[in-house]
Structures are given as structure tokens and as C-alpha cells.
Amino acid sequence: LSQIEEAKDVLQFIKDSVDQCELLVLKGKRGKPLTNPKVLAKAVLVSEFLGLTERSAEGWLNILGPFVGIRKHIDERVIGDAYDKLEVVYILKQVFDEVKKSDGKLSGDGTGLETSRKQNYESSKKYGHYLTCIVDSREVVQAFDVSGEQELHAMHKLVSEVKGESLRLDAGFVDRKLTEEIAAHGMVPYIFPKRNINLNGSPAWKAMYLELYLDVMEWLTEYHQRSHSESFNSSFKRRNKLVSKIRSMCRLSQITARIIIHNFRRLSYFNKLADAS
């Protein structure tokens, strides 16, 4: 019963959130008229929620489509092409922005997204795609990058997209400039040091490691909340199928849709806990 209720909540959320979005108008665009982008965005979200291929999604949308506001048949090729439409990405970005409420306690990390089972080993570092993200202590994703850029470089961009009280990163993100950027955005940085670290740097860099020196336990207690980012990476890959899209736009649409569903589930869970108490 709880799974059925969750499915109803997610499908209702897809309908309501997409219906409220604005459409992207591309001037001078020619060719065959595009199916309503909102219909396509709903199809993408339903497909990723249920873990369907395009062929399976064609059949399931005939059954579930009216519940989310899709009232005409959509061919599997149209569903596949929807992932590569800028208008669909624009809608998904709006939905993501509406479903990333934060508690301010942020953590960041990067992880590989496998495209085959052969890559699903710790010893294999040749991932098909790479995801760098920032989550809060409830594992709600606040910002993410799937461009394939090295995680430290990607984090420089992500820091400017989030708001919070503090940000926790592992030793792979030790960087004086990044520490300064985190402090400049009003967040307290907690970056685990490497062995050869020194205090030469900006005031934010010095303050971060002086606090570690003066009160190790308090600093580590704050830092180790970073485990929430590891928990997100694990649950995100366990609950979703392997990344199946190759084109960069399609991959962005697929991962964005999965993160939207994940965020909604997490927020719903904590909202129900708050109501129960």
C-alpha cells in the first residue's frame, strides 16, 4: 500500500509541477512542429520513475498517461527524441529548481555512473559518465554536474549555485581558491586536509585548519556529516538502472529526471515525518 501511495504521489507531482512550468520559445526554429514540450517532459519523468525503456514507456503511457495529463498516444521514437530536446531540458530545470529545498548543511562529492555491469567494480575507474553534486543532510540534491569535467573543476561552478550554512568536501577537493570561494558565498568550509598541508593562503584557508587544530573533535563531527553525499551516491545508483543515453543532452535529461524523482521522494519522506510529529 505504501508503494502504491508513493506512486500516486509521484505521478501527481509530475502532472502538477510540469503544468506550472513556462515554455521555451526558440525564435526562427523550422521543421516539423514539436509535440507539446510539457507532454514530452512528463513522458521522460514517468519513464525514469518507472525505469522503462522507450518501447515499454509507449505502452505504459497509454495506461498511466491520463493520470499525468497525457491524453494522446506517444510513439517510442518520440519519447526517445524527447530526451534530446532543449525545450524539455528547460522544463526539467524548472522542476528541479522547485524541488531542491535545503536545510543548509551541505556536502559534495563525485561518483562514476556506470554504463555497463563490467564497470561496476571499485578497481575499474573507466566510468562511462561522471556525476559531481552537492546534497544537504537529508540527501536532497542542490546542484549537480554531468559534463564529465574533473570533480574539483566542476565543484568550482557548483559552489556558486548553492546557498547554505556550511559545505563539507573530502581531501580530493583540497584547493585554496575553492576554499576562498566557499567562504565568499557565506558558507563555512570543511575540507579534509592532506598530509603535507600548510597554513599559507587566504584567511578562509587559515581559519578552516586553525579550527581543526584547536578543536579536532568538533571539527570532525561537522565534517563527517559528509557521509550523506556517499549515501546519496549509493542509493541513486542502486535505485536507478544504468545510464543508457549517449548524447550529452540526452544524458543530462535522463539524470536530471532521476534526480528530480529522488528529491521529491526525500522531501515527501521528511514532510510526512514532520506531520506525524
Side-chain angles (χ1 to χ4, degrees), residues 181-237:
E181 291 172 355
I182 295 171
H185 283 86
M187 295 180 284
V188 179
Y190 293 92
I191 305 177
F192 198 82
K194 294 182 179 179
R195 177 180 293 183
N196 60 348
I197 211 78
N198 62 61
L199 289 179
N200 297 332
S202 66
W205 175 268
K206 293 177 181 178
M208 179 173 64
Y209 289 124
L210 281 174
E211 288 179 8
L212 169 60
Y213 176 76
L214 294 174
D215 195 334
V216 176
M217 291 307 299
E218 182 177 353
W219 196 94
L220 290 178
T221 299
E222 281 292 332
Y223 167 76
H224 280 297
Q225 293 185 57
R226 198 192 69 83
S227 60
H228 291 294
S229 62
E230 301 282 2
S231 297
F232 162 73
N233 291 336
S234 175
S235 64
F236 186 73
K237 290 193 279 188

Coordinates of all heavy atoms in Angstrom, one line a residue, residues 181-237:
E181 N 36.3 30.6 -2.3 CA 35.0 30.8 -3.0 C 33.9 30.3 -2.1 O 32.8 31.0 -2.0 CB 35.0 30.0 -4.3 CG 35.9 30.5 -5.4 CD 36.0 29.6 -6.6 OE1 35.4 28.5 -6.5 OE2 36.7 30.0 -7.5
I182 N 34.1 29.2 -1.4 CA 33.0 28.8 -0.4 C 32.8 29.8 0.6 O 31.6 30.1 0.9 CB 33.5 27.4 0.2 CG1 33.6 26.3 -0.8 CG2 32.5 27.0 1.3 CD1 34.2 25.0 -0.3
A183 N 33.8 30.4 1.2 CA 33.7 31.4 2.3 C 33.0 32.6 1.7 O 32.2 33.3 2.4 CB 35.0 31.7 2.9
A184 N 33.4 33.0 0.5 CA 32.8 34.2 -0.2 C 31.3 34.1 -0.4 O 30.6 35.1 -0.4 CB 33.5 34.5 -1.5
H185 N 30.8 32.9 -0.5 CA 29.4 32.6 -0.7 C 28.7 32.4 0.6 O 27.5 32.0 0.7 CB 29.1 31.4 -1.6 CG 29.4 31.7 -3.1 ND1 30.6 31.7 -3.7 CD2 28.5 32.1 -4.0 CE1 30.5 32.0 -4.9 NE2 29.2 32.3 -5.2
G186 N 29.3 32.8 1.7 CA 28.7 32.8 3.1 C 28.6 31.4 3.7 O 27.8 31.2 4.6
M187 N 29.4 30.4 3.3 CA 29.4 29.1 3.8 C 30.7 28.8 4.6 O 31.8 29.3 4.2 CB 29.2 28.1 2.8 CG 27.8 28.2 2.1 SD 27.6 26.9 0.8 CE 28.6 27.6 -0.5
V188 N 30.6 28.0 5.6 CA 31.8 27.6 6.4 C 32.4 26.4 5.7 O 31.7 25.3 5.6 CB 31.4 27.3 7.8 CG1 32.7 26.8 8.6 CG2 30.8 28.5 8.5
P189 N 33.6 26.4 5.2 CA 34.2 25.2 4.5 C 34.7 24.2 5.5 O 35.4 24.5 6.5 CB 35.3 25.8 3.7 CG 35.7 27.1 4.5 CD 34.5 27.6 5.2
Y190 N 34.5 22.9 5.2 CA 35.1 21.8 5.9 C 35.7 20.9 4.9 O 35.0 20.0 4.3 CB 34.1 21.1 6.8 CG 33.6 21.9 7.9 CD1 32.4 22.6 7.8 CD2 34.2 21.9 9.2 CE1 31.9 23.3 8.8 CE2 33.7 22.6 10.3 CZ 32.5 23.3 10.1 OH 32.0 24.1 11.1
I191 N 37.0 21.0 4.6 CA 37.7 20.2 3.6 C 38.8 19.4 4.3 O 39.7 20.0 4.9 CB 38.3 21.1 2.5 CG1 37.2 22.0 1.9 CG2 38.9 20.2 1.4 CD1 37.8 22.9 0.8
F192 N 38.7 18.1 4.2 CA 39.6 17.2 5.0 C 41.0 17.4 4.4 O 41.2 17.4 3.2 CB 39.2 15.7 4.8 CG 39.8 14.9 5.8 CD1 39.3 14.8 7.1 CD2 41.0 14.1 5.5 CE1 39.8 13.9 8.1 CE2 41.5 13.3 6.5 CZ 41.0 13.2 7.8
P193 N 42.0 17.6 5.3 CA 43.3 18.0 4.8 C 44.1 16.8 4.3 O 43.9 15.7 4.7 CB 44.0 18.6 6.1 CG 43.3 17.9 7.2 CD 41.9 17.7 6.8
K194 N 45.1 17.1 3.5 CA 46.1 16.1 3.1 C 47.3 16.2 4.1 O 47.4 17.1 4.8 CB 46.6 16.3 1.7 CG 45.5 16.1 0.6 CD 46.0 16.3 -0.8 CE 44.9 16.1 -1.8 NZ 45.4 16.3 -3.2
R195 N 48.2 15.2 4.0 CA 49.3 15.1 4.9 C 50.2 16.3 4.9 O 50.7 16.8 5.9 CB 50.1 13.8 4.7 CG 51.3 13.6 5.6 CD 52.0 12.4 5.4 NE 51.2 11.2 5.7 CZ 51.7 9.9 5.6 NH1 52.9 9.7 5.2 NH2 50.9 8.9 6.0
N196 N 50.5 16.8 3.7 CA 51.5 17.8 3.5 C 50.9 19.2 3.5 O 51.5 20.2 3.0 CB 52.3 17.6 2.2 CG 51.4 17.6 1.0 OD1 50.2 17.6 1.1 ND2 52.0 17.7 -0.2
I197 N 49.7 19.4 4.2 CA 49.1 20.7 4.1 C 49.8 21.7 5.0 O 50.5 21.4 5.9 CB 47.6 20.5 4.7 CG1 46.7 21.5 4.0 CG2 47.5 20.7 6.2 CD1 46.3 21.1 2.6
N198 N 49.7 23.0 4.6 CA 50.2 24.1 5.4 C 49.2 25.2 5.4 O 48.3 25.3 4.7 CB 51.6 24.6 4.9 CG 51.5 25.1 3.5 OD1 50.8 26.1 3.2 ND2 52.3 24.5 2.6
L199 N 49.5 26.2 6.3 CA 48.5 27.3 6.5 C 48.7 28.5 5.6 O 48.0 29.5 5.7 CB 48.6 27.8 8.0 CG 48.1 26.8 9.0 CD1 48.3 27.4 10.4 CD2 46.6 26.5 8.8
N200 N 49.6 28.4 4.7 CA 49.8 29.5 3.7 C 48.6 29.7 2.8 O 48.2 28.7 2.1 CB 51.1 29.4 2.9 CG 52.3 29.3 3.8 OD1 52.3 30.0 4.8 ND2 53.3 28.6 3.3
G201 N 48.0 30.8 2.8 CA 46.8 31.0 2.0 C 45.9 32.1 2.5 O 46.3 33.0 3.3
S202 N 44.7 32.1 2.0 CA 43.7 33.2 2.4 C 43.3 33.1 3.8 O 43.5 32.0 4.4 CB 42.5 33.1 1.4 OG 41.8 31.9 1.7
P203 N 42.6 34.1 4.4 CA 42.1 34.0 5.7 C 41.1 32.8 5.9 O 41.1 32.2 7.0 CB 41.4 35.3 5.9 CG 42.1 36.3 5.0 CD 42.5 35.5 3.8
A204 N 40.3 32.5 4.9 CA 39.4 31.4 5.0 C 40.1 30.1 5.1 O 39.7 29.2 5.9 CB 38.5 31.4 3.8
W205 N 41.2 29.9 4.4 CA 42.0 28.7 4.4 C 42.7 28.6 5.8 O 42.6 27.5 6.4 CB 43.1 28.8 3.3 CG 44.1 27.7 3.3 CD1 45.3 27.7 3.9 CD2 44.0 26.5 2.6 NE1 46.0 26.5 3.6 CE2 45.2 25.8 2.8 CE3 43.0 25.9 1.7 CZ2 45.4 24.5 2.3 CZ3 43.3 24.7 1.2 CH2 44.4 24.0 1.4
K206 N 43.2 29.6 6.3 CA 43.9 29.6 7.6 C 42.9 29.3 8.7 O 43.1 28.5 9.6 CB 44.6 30.9 7.9 CG 45.8 31.1 7.0 CD 46.4 32.5 7.2 CE 47.6 32.8 6.3 NZ 48.2 34.1 6.5
A207 N 41.7 30.0 8.7 CA 40.7 29.8 9.7 C 40.2 28.4 9.7 O 40.0 27.8 10.8 CB 39.6 30.8 9.5
M208 N 40.0 27.8 8.5 CA 39.5 26.4 8.5 C 40.4 25.4 9.2 O 39.9 24.6 10.0 CB 39.3 26.0 7.0 CG 38.8 24.6 6.8 SD 38.4 24.2 5.1 CE 40.0 24.3 4.3
Y209 N 41.7 25.5 9.0 CA 42.6 24.5 9.5 C 43.0 24.9 10.9 O 43.4 24.0 11.7 CB 43.8 24.2 8.6 CG 43.3 23.5 7.4 CD1 43.6 24.0 6.1 CD2 42.6 22.3 7.5 CE1 43.1 23.3 5.0 CE2 42.2 21.6 6.4 CZ 42.4 22.1 5.1 OH 42.0 21.4 4.0
L210 N 42.9 26.1 11.3 CA 43.2 26.5 12.7 C 42.1 26.0 13.6 O 42.3 25.5 14.7 CB 43.3 28.0 12.8 CG 44.7 28.6 12.4 CD1 44.6 30.2 12.5 CD2 45.8 28.1 13.3
E211 N 40.8 26.0 13.1 CA 39.7 25.5 13.9 C 39.9 23.9 14.0 O 39.6 23.4 15.1 CB 38.4 25.8 13.2 CG 38.0 27.2 13.2 CD 36.7 27.5 12.5 OE1 36.1 26.5 12.1 OE2 36.3 28.7 12.3
L212 N 40.4 23.3 13.0 CA 40.7 21.8 13.2 C 41.8 21.6 14.2 O 41.6 20.7 15.0 CB 41.2 21.3 11.8 CG 41.8 19.9 11.8 CD1 40.7 18.9 12.3 CD2 42.2 19.5 10.4
Y213 N 42.8 22.4 14.2 CA 43.9 22.3 15.2 C 43.4 22.6 16.6 O 43.8 21.8 17.6 CB 45.0 23.2 14.8 CG 46.2 23.2 15.8 CD1 47.1 22.2 15.8 CD2 46.3 24.3 16.7 CE1 48.2 22.2 16.7 CE2 47.4 24.3 17.6 CZ 48.3 23.2 17.6 OH 49.3 23.2 18.5
L214 N 42.6 23.6 16.8 CA 42.1 24.0 18.1 C 41.1 23.0 18.8 O 41.0 22.9 20.0 CB 41.6 25.4 18.1 CG 42.6 26.5 17.7 CD1 42.0 27.8 17.6 CD2 43.7 26.6 18.8
D215 N 40.2 22.5 17.9 CA 39.2 21.6 18.4 C 38.9 20.5 17.4 O 38.0 20.6 16.6 CB 37.9 22.3 18.7 CG 36.9 21.5 19.6 OD1 37.0 20.3 19.6 OD2 36.1 22.2 20.3
V216 N 39.7 19.4 17.5 CA 39.7 18.4 16.5 C 38.3 17.7 16.4 O 37.7 17.5 15.4 CB 40.8 17.3 16.7 CG1 40.7 16.2 15.7 CG2 42.2 18.0 16.6
M217 N 37.8 17.3 17.6 CA 36.6 16.5 17.7 C 35.4 17.3 17.1 O 34.5 16.7 16.4 CB 36.3 16.1 19.1 CG 37.3 15.0 19.6 SD 37.4 13.6 18.5 CE 35.8 13.0 18.5
E218 N 35.3 18.6 17.5 CA 34.1 19.4 17.0 C 34.2 19.5 15.5 O 33.2 19.4 14.8 CB 34.1 20.7 17.6 CG 32.9 21.6 17.2 CD 32.9 22.9 17.9 OE1 33.7 23.1 18.9 OE2 32.0 23.8 17.5
W219 N 35.4 19.7 14.9 CA 35.6 19.9 13.5 C 35.3 18.6 12.8 O 34.5 18.7 11.8 CB 37.1 20.3 13.2 CG 37.3 20.9 11.9 CD1 37.3 22.2 11.5 CD2 37.6 20.1 10.7 NE1 37.6 22.3 10.2 CE2 37.8 21.1 9.6 CE3 37.7 18.8 10.4 CZ2 38.1 20.7 8.3 CZ3 38.0 18.4 9.1 CH2 38.2 19.4 8.1
L220 N 35.7 17.5 13.3 CA 35.5 16.2 12.6 C 34.0 15.8 12.7 O 33.5 15.2 11.8 CB 36.4 15.1 13.2 CG 37.9 15.2 12.9 CD1 38.6 14.1 13.6 CD2 38.1 15.2 11.4
T221 N 33.4 16.2 13.8 CA 31.9 15.9 13.9 C 31.1 16.6 12.8 O 30.2 16.0 12.2 CB 31.4 16.4 15.3 OG1 32.1 15.6 16.3 CG2 29.9 16.1 15.4
E222 N 31.5 17.9 12.6 CA 30.9 18.6 11.5 C 31.2 18.0 10.1 O 30.4 17.8 9.3 CB 31.3 20.1 11.5 CG 30.6 20.9 12.5 CD 29.1 21.1 12.2 OE1 28.8 21.1 11.0 OE2 28.3 21.2 13.1
Y223 N 32.5 17.7 9.9 CA 33.0 17.2 8.6 C 32.3 15.9 8.3 O 31.9 15.7 7.1 CB 34.5 17.0 8.6 CG 35.0 16.2 7.5 CD1 35.1 16.8 6.2 CD2 35.3 14.9 7.6 CE1 35.5 16.0 5.1 CE2 35.7 14.1 6.5 CZ 35.8 14.7 5.3 OH 36.2 14.0 4.2
H224 N 32.2 15.0 9.2 CA 31.7 13.6 8.9 C 30.2 13.5 8.6 O 29.7 12.4 8.3 CB 32.1 12.6 10.0 CG 33.5 12.2 9.9 ND1 34.0 11.5 8.9 CD2 34.6 12.4 10.8 CE1 35.3 11.2 9.0 NE2 35.7 11.8 10.2
Q225 N 29.5 14.7 8.6 CA 28.2 14.7 8.0 C 28.3 14.5 6.5 O 27.2 14.4 5.9 CB 27.5 16.0 8.4 CG 27.2 16.1 9.9 CD 26.4 17.4 10.2 OE1 25.3 17.5 9.7 NE2 26.9 18.2 11.1
R226 N 29.5 14.6 6.0 CA 29.7 14.4 4.6 C 29.3 13.0 4.1 O 29.1 12.8 2.9 CB 31.2 14.6 4.2 CG 31.4 14.9 2.7 CD 32.9 14.8 2.4 NE 33.4 13.4 2.6 CZ 33.3 12.5 1.6 NH1 32.7 12.8 0.5 NH2 33.8 11.3 1.8
S227 N 29.1 12.1 5.0 CA 28.7 10.7 4.7 C 27.3 10.7 4.0 O 27.0 9.8 3.3 CB 28.6 9.9 5.9 OG 27.6 10.4 6.8
H228 N 26.5 11.8 4.1 CA 25.3 11.9 3.4 C 25.5 11.9 1.9 O 24.6 11.4 1.1 CB 24.5 13.1 3.8 CG 24.0 13.0 5.2 ND1 23.0 12.1 5.6 CD2 24.3 13.7 6.4 CE1 22.8 12.3 6.9 NE2 23.5 13.2 7.4
S229 N 26.6 12.5 1.4 CA 26.8 12.5 0.0 C 27.2 11.1 -0.5 O 26.8 10.8 -1.6 CB 28.0 13.5 -0.3 OG 29.2 13.1 0.3
E230 N 27.9 10.4 0.3 CA 28.2 9.0 -0.1 C 26.9 8.1 -0.1 O 26.7 7.3 -1.0 CB 29.2 8.4 1.0 CG 30.5 9.1 1.1 CD 31.5 8.8 -0.1 OE1 31.1 8.1 -1.0 OE2 32.6 9.3 -0.1
S231 N 26.0 8.4 0.9 CA 24.8 7.7 0.9 C 23.9 8.0 -0.3 O 23.3 7.1 -0.9 CB 24.0 8.0 2.2 OG 24.7 7.6 3.3
F232 N 23.9 9.2 -0.7 CA 23.2 9.6 -1.9 C 23.7 8.9 -3.1 O 22.9 8.3 -3.9 CB 23.2 11.1 -2.2 CG 22.8 11.5 -3.6 CD1 21.5 11.4 -4.0 CD2 23.8 11.9 -4.5 CE1 21.2 11.7 -5.3 CE2 23.5 12.2 -5.8 CZ 22.1 12.1 -6.2
N233 N 25.0 8.9 -3.3 CA 25.6 8.2 -4.5 C 25.3 6.8 -4.5 O 24.9 6.2 -5.6 CB 27.2 8.4 -4.4 CG 27.6 9.8 -4.7 OD1 26.9 10.6 -5.3 ND2 28.8 10.2 -4.2
S234 N 25.3 6.1 -3.4 CA 25.0 4.7 -3.3 C 23.5 4.4 -3.6 O 23.2 3.6 -4.5 CB 25.3 4.1 -1.9 OG 24.9 2.8 -1.8
S235 N 22.6 5.1 -3.0 CA 21.2 4.9 -3.2 C 20.8 5.3 -4.6 O 19.9 4.6 -5.2 CB 20.3 5.7 -2.2 OG 20.5 7.1 -2.3
F236 N 21.4 6.4 -5.2 CA 21.0 6.8 -6.5 C 21.3 5.8 -7.6 O 20.5 5.5 -8.5 CB 21.7 8.1 -6.8 CG 21.3 8.8 -8.1 CD1 20.1 9.4 -8.3 CD2 22.2 8.7 -9.2 CE1 19.8 10.0 -9.5 CE2 21.8 9.3 -10.4 CZ 20.6 10.0 -10.5
K237 N 22.5 5.1 -7.4 CA 22.9 4.1 -8.4 C 22.1 2.8 -8.1 O 21.9 2.0 -9.1 CB 24.4 3.9 -8.3 CG 25.1 5.1 -8.9 CD 26.6 4.8 -9.2 CE 27.4 4.9 -7.9 NZ 28.9 4.8 -8.3

